[in-house]
Amino acid sequence: MKDKQTHLIDTAINLFARDGVSVSTARIASEAGVSNGTLFNYFPTKQQLIDSVYLSIKEDIARNVLPSLGQDMSVKEVMFGIWRGYIQWALANPLHHEVSILLKAAMVLSAATLERADAIFELKVAKLRKGVEQHQLVDLPVDYICELSTAQLSVAVAFLQRFKLDSVDASKHIHCSFDVFWNGINA
Amino acid sequence: MKDKQTHLIDTAINLFARDGVSVSTARIASEAGVSNGTLFNYFPTKQQLIDSVYLSIKEDIARNVLPSLGQDMSVKEVMFGIWRGYIQWALANPLHHEVSILLKAAMVLSAATLERADAIFELKVAKLRKGVEQHQLVDLPVDYICELSTAQLSVAVAFLQRFKLDSVDASKHIHCSFDVFWNGINA
DNA sequence: TGTGTGATTGACTGATCAGTCATTTTTTGA
DNA sequence: TCAAAAAATGACTGATCAGTCAATCACACA
């Protein structure tokens, strides 16, 4: 049997995706096959459970996206690596993707958690910064381009999920949506 | 004194923006200066209050954005009209903008309400459809381009709100963010 | 087998909340 | 001026929920 803490997080992700963050801790515990007392042994408050869920998802994304990237790659290569890696991860883990967006948008995450989550993807920020400094990208704040990429990635994923394309068309859309993004920010 | 129903909606928007959708009906009523019984005279359920808040915001956007658009304008002109109009509205009504995003993301809106809200902006969809058909825009589903524009607009607004630019720089960013969007979808 | 330790349990509590309704207040218009 | 209608009130209810804790269980080691 999987680590109980991990199993509770997985169960919470499933229920958050189905019913939103408002699901009761009792239901999460029951669905996970433990008593609600046990849930509170692992997560002292519901807030800490929510934060743990978010960080767990972000770390999972990092594990699946960052390894394919290198310091020696160009900005465009890094961004495309993130693009393809994230979309593939999101299609393989639709609920995780959905919950990650949900928690961020619903403003239920502690400030510390948001900060920790950002720190995971420092490489991306660094590459974009260099791209702007070297005038390869439009002269906009790096934060802005970051948010832009996240927003456009979400739209691309939502589209791919809605119309279940075969893998050829999916790959085509990954390139196509990336081109839309890249043409937008290319200097 | 303003129409009570309108006043309750305005109060709800303020509280939703400050504390999320989870604020109690009692607090909304009290903040609006009426009893909670009165709130339920105007909105039989909290759900209907939430839906009314959303539709009220969308109609406000439409009133501020649609009048400047005409059937005879090009796709680009229409999209830029929406771009500038929406950003100006959002900067003048930051809480409304925030709540509109919050309600959509938190998945607390009824299906009927989402449909009604979409119908308000039919002109935009029609223009984009023609643009794609006439190969002025990249060959992507109109829905996709719609979502893309909404997402990028949100990012642009968030940026302008974070760094309170003077009106010259703000206008520059409106054009700049639009160019990023347009260069992405221009065929 | 016996004992001590840490994990697990679930009934319980106090707080909160959406929604009700009998009563009171205000408005209307004859 | 007054009676009927409409609007407003707020105490109340039943349900739900996060979090607690005394009791129980499972297991390691003597």
Side-chain angles (χ1 to χ4, degrees):
Chain A
M1 159 92 145
K2 216 175 353 178
D3 183 57
K4 236 169 230 171
Q5 189 153 348
T6 310
H7 187 232
L8 278 165
I9 288 179
D10 285 348
T11 307
I13 290 173
N14 280 294
L15 291 179
F16 286 169
R18 195 192 308 153
D19 300 325
V21 205
S22 62
V23 280
S24 67
T25 51
R27 264 203 60 216
I28 296 169
S30 135
E31 197 91 358
V34 300
S35 72
N36 73 325
T38 298
L39 184 147
F40 283 99
N41 279 344
Y42 288 97
F43 306 96
T45 64
K46 189 183 184 185
Q47 182 60 57
Q48 289 202 35
L49 170 61
I50 291 172
D51 285 334
S52 300
V53 161
Y54 188 71
L55 283 175
S56 149
I57 293 174
K58 286 290 167 182
E59 281 157 10
D60 192 32
I61 296 171
R63 265 194 307 280
N64 281 271
V65 169
L66 295 186
S68 70
L69 308 179
Q71 292 287 349
D72 53 326
M73 292 163 76
S74 72
V75 197
K76 186 173 182 181
E77 284 168 337
V78 166
M79 289 311 291
F80 184 69
I82 291 174
W83 207 268
R84 185 172 47 195
Y86 183 83
I87 290 180
Q88 283 169 349
W89 172 86
L91 292 178
N93 304 273
L95 298 185
H96 293 230
H97 166 72
E98 188 183 337
V99 169
S100 132
I101 291 177
L102 178 74
L103 295 184
K104 185 107 183 259
M107 304 188 303
V108 291
L109 295 164
S110 72
T113 296
L114 283 169
E115 212 166 309
R116 281 223 275 158
D118 274 348
I120 300 177
F121 296 94
E122 186 47 36
L123 174 63
K124 172 186 175 185
V125 179
K127 273 289 169 188
L128 286 176
R129 184 169 300 116
K130 213 196 283 181
V132 171
E133 279 164 8
Q134 299 178 347
H135 306 291
Q136 299 170 274
L137 303 179
V138 289
D139 186 24
L140 282 167
V142 172
D143 272 6
Y144 185 78
I145 301 178
C146 261
E147 294 291 332
L148 208 56
S149 70
T150 306
Q152 294 200 39
L153 260 177
S154 291
V155 176
V157 169
F159 173 75
L160 283 163
Q161 282 173 341
R162 193 136 36 97
F163 308 93
K164 318 229 168 203
L165 309 177
D166 62 45
S167 74
V168 174
D169 282 342
S171 169
K172 216 181 287 176
H173 186 74
I174 290 175
H175 282 86
C176 188
S177 60
F178 179 76
D179 287 344
V180 169
F181 168 66
W182 185 256
N183 288 337
I185 64 164
N186 198 12
Chain B
M1 157 92 147
K2 215 174 0 179
D3 184 58
K4 236 168 230 172
Q5 189 153 347
T6 311
H7 188 234
L8 278 165
I9 287 179
D10 285 348
T11 308
I13 290 173
N14 280 292
L15 291 178
F16 286 170
R18 193 193 308 153
D19 300 325
V21 205
S22 62
V23 281
S24 68
T25 50
R27 267 209 50 222
I28 296 168
S30 136
E31 197 90 358
V34 301
S35 71
N36 73 327
T38 298
L39 184 147
F40 284 99
N41 280 345
Y42 288 95
F43 306 96
T45 64
K46 189 182 184 186
Q47 181 61 55
Q48 289 200 37
L49 169 62
I50 293 172
D51 285 334
S52 300
V53 162
Y54 189 70
L55 284 175
S56 148
I57 294 174
K58 286 291 167 180
E59 281 157 9
D60 192 33
I61 296 170
R63 263 193 308 278
N64 281 271
V65 169
L66 295 184
S68 70
L69 308 179
Q71 290 290 348
D72 54 325
M73 292 164 76
S74 71
V75 197
K76 187 173 182 180
E77 284 168 336
V78 166
M79 289 312 291
F80 184 70
I82 292 174
W83 205 268
R84 185 172 48 196
Y86 183 82
I87 290 180
Q88 283 169 350
W89 172 87
L91 292 179
N93 304 273
L95 299 185
H96 293 230
H97 166 72
E98 188 183 336
V99 169
S100 131
I101 291 177
L102 179 73
L103 295 183
K104 185 108 183 259
M107 304 189 303
V108 291
L109 296 163
S110 71
T113 296
L114 283 169
E115 212 165 310
R116 280 222 275 159
D118 275 348
I120 300 177
F121 297 93
E122 186 48 36
L123 173 64
K124 171 185 175 185
V125 179
K127 272 290 169 187
L128 285 175
R129 182 170 299 115
K130 213 197 279 181
V132 171
E133 278 164 7
Q134 298 177 348
H135 305 290
Q136 298 169 273
L137 303 179
V138 289
D139 185 24
L140 282 167
V142 172
D143 272 6
Y144 185 78
I145 300 177
C146 262
E147 295 291 331
L148 208 55
S149 69
T150 306
Q152 293 200 42
L153 260 177
S154 291
V155 176
V157 169
F159 173 75
L160 283 162
Q161 281 174 341
R162 194 137 35 97
F163 308 93
K164 318 229 168 203
L165 309 177
D166 62 45
S167 75
V168 173
D169 282 342
S171 170
K172 215 182 287 176
H173 186 74
I174 289 175
H175 282 86
C176 188
S177 60
F178 178 75
D179 287 343
V180 168
F181 168 67
W182 185 257
N183 287 337
I185 64 164
N186 198 12

